[in-house]
Amino acid sequence: MITNNVWEEQIWDYLDGTMTNEETERFLVKIKAQPHARKLLRECKQLHSQLHKDKAQQPSALFVENIMGKISTARHGIKVSSASWSQAGWIFAVSAIIVVSIAAFTSGDSTGSTLDGGLSDLLVAMVQTSFFRNLAWLSSSLLLLMAIDHLVMSQRSNQRSIRPV
Amino acid sequence: MVDQYKGMVYTLCLRILRSKELAEEAAQDAFVKAFRKIASFESRSTFKTWLYRITYRTAIDYGRKRRPSVTTNMEAISDNGQESDSSLLQIQKKEESIMIQHAIDQLREEERVVITMYYLQELSIREITEITDWTQSNIKIKLFRARNNLREIMSGAHYKSLHL
């Protein structure tokens, strides 16, 4: 007596087309006399056909766009940092102006200034306060850090390479 | 490449992770990885097998790292229902598709993988071996069990109750 499992194995082999011609013939003869196995064959056939009809599901509409974004970020990951570097141009410019202004006011003779004497004295006095000194230090440090960051990022950018498809 | 394989890659991720959001993330990650590794692709296997191997590993990693709140494929299918043709045949086909998706969702992860690769992606047992590193006999056993379980689910009380 053939068990259910054995029938099922043979049925799947038959449906998968892995049986030889002789095996198929023998199988079909055998199954004719077995109503239970024939029912099993019908069920398996139905499932087999439904599984073959199964279709791939589609991701969201932004799927491809997101991948391209990720690839672009991966490829130009360092350049994104460079972009942030250029976006920080304002900080750079302001820092530079502060450093240069403070240097100009603190070095040189205030009398040589084209500004009105009272205003010039006031500015020199302001610049010489600890707040402006600290600001000068902070600006100089920021400039230095940005320069180092830019150098390091440029080097990493050269090392990394992502080949396109 | 993305346009050609996005459906298959996404569906494999969805079958493994059973979460739309996570599947989409994993599928995107798989494509980015493939893009990065494209130089290392050798013609020892087909491109499809190579891509599915990356996808399979990525999805399995995602599954290990993050246990998602399961939003079944059934939800994914109903969300994807964009057919404007509401003829009876279309509805019937869609229903059948939902039923089979739902049944697959109830299988174990390895069985879902085997069923998806064998039927949906039409990969041979040998190709599934290349992708998953499982032995051929192991895959045959998993496939047998998966189909057996699917048949039971489809003919069982649950399937009938869904039809009511």
Side-chain angles (χ1 to χ4, degrees):
Chain A
M1 168 124 185
I2 304 174
T3 63
N4 244 9
N5 262 7
V6 175
W7 270 121
E8 208 160 320
E9 250 176 68
Q10 292 185 358
I11 287 169
W12 286 121
D13 283 345
Y14 167 69
L15 293 174
D16 284 340
T18 53
M19 278 181 172
T20 62
N21 287 343
E22 288 145 21
E23 282 171 338
T24 307
E25 272 174 35
R26 253 183 286 145
F27 167 77
L28 291 173
V29 169
K30 240 183 349 184
I31 206 165
K32 257 186 188 172
Q34 299 288 334
H36 173 71
R38 282 209 309 274
K39 185 175 171 271
L40 203 60
L41 174 64
R42 269 198 306 276
E43 282 179 14
C44 291
K45 219 180 218 176
Q46 196 186 356
L47 176 63
H48 197 62
S49 131
Q50 279 175 322
L51 283 168
H52 271 302
K53 279 185 218 156
D54 189 21
K55 281 181 186 160
Q57 287 161 55
Q58 293 304 317
S60 70
L62 289 172
F63 185 77
V64 179
E65 206 177 299
N66 286 341
I67 290 172
M68 291 311 166
K70 282 183 180 181
I71 288 173
S72 173
T73 307
R75 189 197 258 171
H76 304 294
I78 303 308
K79 284 182 183 162
V80 169
S81 301
S82 303
S84 64
W85 158 262
S86 65
Q87 279 162 8
W90 278 107
I91 303 170
F92 181 83
V94 170
S95 305
I97 289 167
I98 291 169
V99 171
V100 170
S101 308
I102 290 171
F105 277 114
T106 48
S107 63
D109 184 1
S110 63
T111 52
S113 168
T114 53
L115 291 168
D116 176 74
L119 180 62
S120 175
D121 287 346
L122 184 68
L123 283 171
V124 170
M126 266 176 65
V127 162
Q128 283 175 343
T129 59
S130 59
F131 171 75
F132 274 91
R133 280 205 192 122
N134 290 339
L135 190 65
W137 272 109
L138 196 70
S139 306
S140 311
S141 310
L142 194 64
L143 277 170
L144 187 68
L145 280 174
M146 287 174 81
I148 292 169
D149 175 67
H150 185 65
L151 276 172
V152 171
M153 290 302 182
S154 307
Q155 270 188 341
R156 279 178 57 189
S157 176
N158 291 337
Q159 281 167 7
R160 189 190 273 198
S161 72
I162 295 165
R163 300 176 67 172
V165 179
Chain B
M1 174 180 87
V2 178
D3 268 334
Q4 192 180 345
Y5 293 103
K6 66 178 180 185
M8 291 296 189
V9 166
Y10 170 70
T11 308
L12 181 58
C13 291
L14 189 61
R15 292 274 168 88
I16 293 171
L17 297 163
R18 293 191 292 180
S19 154
K20 270 172 68 181
E21 289 77 21
L22 217 50
E24 189 140 335
E25 216 180 296
Q28 286 173 10
D29 211 12
F31 275 114
V32 175
K33 280 182 188 170
F35 185 82
R36 284 182 173 179
K37 291 179 179 173
I38 194 78
S40 67
F41 168 63
E42 292 162 9
S43 306
R44 275 183 296 181
S45 59
T46 61
F47 179 76
K48 188 171 76 171
T49 315
W50 178 77
L51 179 64
Y52 289 164
R53 189 177 164 85
I54 293 174
T55 306
Y56 170 72
R57 281 161 183 260
T58 306
I60 293 290
D61 278 350
Y62 264 73
R64 279 189 200 132
K65 282 178 200 160
R66 283 165 261 186
R67 278 280 143 218
S69 56
V70 175
T71 63
T72 61
N73 285 318
M74 210 163 159
E75 281 175 45
I77 279 249
S78 45
D79 285 357
N80 266 0
Q82 295 158 341
E83 291 93 340
S84 55
D85 184 0
S86 59
S87 68
L88 207 63
L89 194 70
Q90 282 287 323
I91 293 168
Q92 200 181 341
K93 271 186 187 174
K94 199 174 165 184
E95 258 183 18
E96 269 182 20
S97 175
I98 290 172
M99 289 305 152
I100 198 86
Q101 296 289 337
H102 187 74
I104 292 171
D105 263 344
Q106 294 176 59
L107 297 176
R108 291 173 57 200
E109 183 185 283
E110 293 177 343
E111 293 171 355
R112 295 198 301 270
V113 168
V114 168
I115 283 286
T116 307
M117 288 183 181
Y118 190 77
Y119 282 101
L120 184 74
Q121 292 162 341
E122 296 183 337
L123 297 168
S124 66
I125 303 282
R126 192 185 54 77
E127 285 172 318
I128 300 174
T129 303
E130 278 178 38
I131 295 167
T132 58
D133 287 336
W134 298 331
T135 61
Q136 292 204 9
S137 57
N138 199 352
I139 291 165
K140 280 179 190 167
I141 291 167
K142 286 185 204 307
L143 186 62
F144 178 77
R145 281 189 192 147
R147 294 196 281 207
N148 200 1
N149 289 338
L150 271 181
R151 194 177 53 77
E152 276 173 16
I153 294 166
M154 299 286 277
S155 60
H158 188 67
Y159 178 62
K160 279 173 189 160
S161 74
L162 280 167
H163 259 309
L164 287 175

